[in-house]
Amino acid sequence: EAQVTQNPRYLITVTGKKLTVTCSQNMNHEYMSWYRQDPGLGLRQIYYSMNVEVTDKGDVPEGYKVSRKEKRNFPLILESPSPNQTSLYFCASGVFRLETQYFGPGTRLLVL
Amino acid sequence: TQLLEQSPQFLSIQEGENLTVYCNSSSVFSSLQWYRQEPGEGPVLLVTVVTGGEVKKLKRLTFQFGDARKDSSLHITAAQPGDTGLYLCAGALSASGSRLTFGEGTQLTVNP
């Protein structure tokens, strides 16, 4: 089954404790991206990757890091989480020109 | 300020009615997508429109991309309770489709 998986689905942490949210896709897509969704602000793009070892900033990259060492995986790293990073995070993958894009089920993060 | 303005934000109608959701911007997009999102899940891509003036139909849903590629609309004919959800438009700022900006969404409720 074609899918994008994210782990964990729910996470409660404290300010400053480094965390990683994993994202994996089984569709051999070149393109992968991370978004956060907040009430009143909608979905905003954090980082995206056009291929292995190629990443670029989206609209809200501050406080986040990503890496793309393998085609199927695109982890999101929060080196020092802060309460304003409490949000619902989505990973997505797709093909060139995004004629197809699949979203993962989301990771709900609470930073205390 | 949102680059993409969606209207209305909320829409509650009776089964069988028709409705139109609008997505407007002052920016030109290389392509525009419409998604539907249900609670607790990631957005699901409904359609991608690429050419100015393009019209695409998906059963009872009709999508139109404005001639100038700055706006789009989604029309649903004879709405059903199963159409209930959050409808999101997203514009691609680059030809590759990699940089996406989303509207805040339209929450549609179709009452039986």
Side-chain angles (χ1 to χ4, degrees):
Chain A
E1 180 191 354
Q3 60 183 355
V4 178
T5 55
Q6 294 180 228
N7 282 293
R9 293 289 313 278
Y10 303 92
L11 181 59
I12 300 174
T13 189
V14 295
T15 298
K17 187 176 181 181
K18 181 179 178 180
L19 67 92
T20 299
V21 183
T22 64
C23 173
S24 184
Q25 51 98 359
N26 63 359
M27 295 166 280
N28 202 36
H29 288 159
E30 278 83 21
Y31 174 85
M32 297 186 75
S33 184
W34 276 102
Y35 301 87
R36 61 177 290 176
Q37 187 172 34
D38 303 287
L41 295 174
L43 273 159
R44 292 177 293 169
Q45 193 172 35
I46 304 171
Y47 269 95
Y48 64 94
S49 170
M50 295 297 290
N51 213 327
V52 175
E53 301 293 359
V54 180
T55 63
D56 213 339
K57 296 177 181 178
D59 290 323
V60 288
E62 295 78 21
Y64 304 94
K65 282 177 57 177
V66 293
S67 69
R68 188 92 182 271
K69 292 183 169 59
E70 305 166 283
K71 198 172 188 179
R72 64 181 292 125
N73 296 321
F74 191 44
L76 180 69
I77 303 157
L78 283 72
E79 294 269 3
S80 183
S82 62
N84 64 13
Q85 292 179 297
T86 291
S87 187
L88 178 58
Y89 291 86
F90 288 102
C91 180
S93 75
V95 300
F96 181 70
R97 296 199 71 174
L98 292 186
E99 290 176 0
T100 305
Q101 179 168 226
Y102 293 88
F103 278 77
T107 294
R108 191 166 289 280
L109 172 66
L110 174 60
V111 183
L112 300 173
Chain B
T1 304
Q2 291 283 126
L3 194 58
L4 266 174
E5 298 286 342
Q6 270 188 254
S7 61
Q9 285 189 45
F10 300 94
L11 190 54
S12 181
I13 62 172
Q14 294 300 121
E15 183 175 0
E17 291 183 3
N18 302 332
L19 67 110
T20 302
V21 177
Y22 299 93
C23 183
N24 295 298
S25 178
S26 57
S27 299
V28 177
F29 296 104
S30 59
S31 64
L32 195 136
Q33 300 180 317
W34 284 93
Y35 293 82
R36 182 170 145 223
Q37 184 179 18
E38 302 203 34
E41 298 181 10
V44 175
L45 179 63
L46 297 173
V47 77
T48 300
V49 285
V50 178
T51 306
E54 183 176 3
V55 177
K56 280 192 175 178
K57 293 193 175 184
L58 189 66
K59 297 183 181 176
R60 293 176 294 101
L61 278 60
T62 302
F63 305 86
Q64 186 160 6
F65 200 13
D67 291 340
R69 292 187 285 126
K70 293 183 179 181
D71 55 85
S72 181
S73 64
L74 158 60
H75 182 78
I76 302 179
T77 304
Q80 299 176 1
D83 295 326
T84 293
L86 179 67
Y87 288 82
L88 299 160
C89 64
L93 296 166
S94 60
S96 69
S98 56
R99 289 279 282 111
L100 268 187
T101 187
F102 279 79
E104 281 190 49
T106 295
Q107 181 61 53
L108 171 66
T109 302
V110 182
N111 302 298

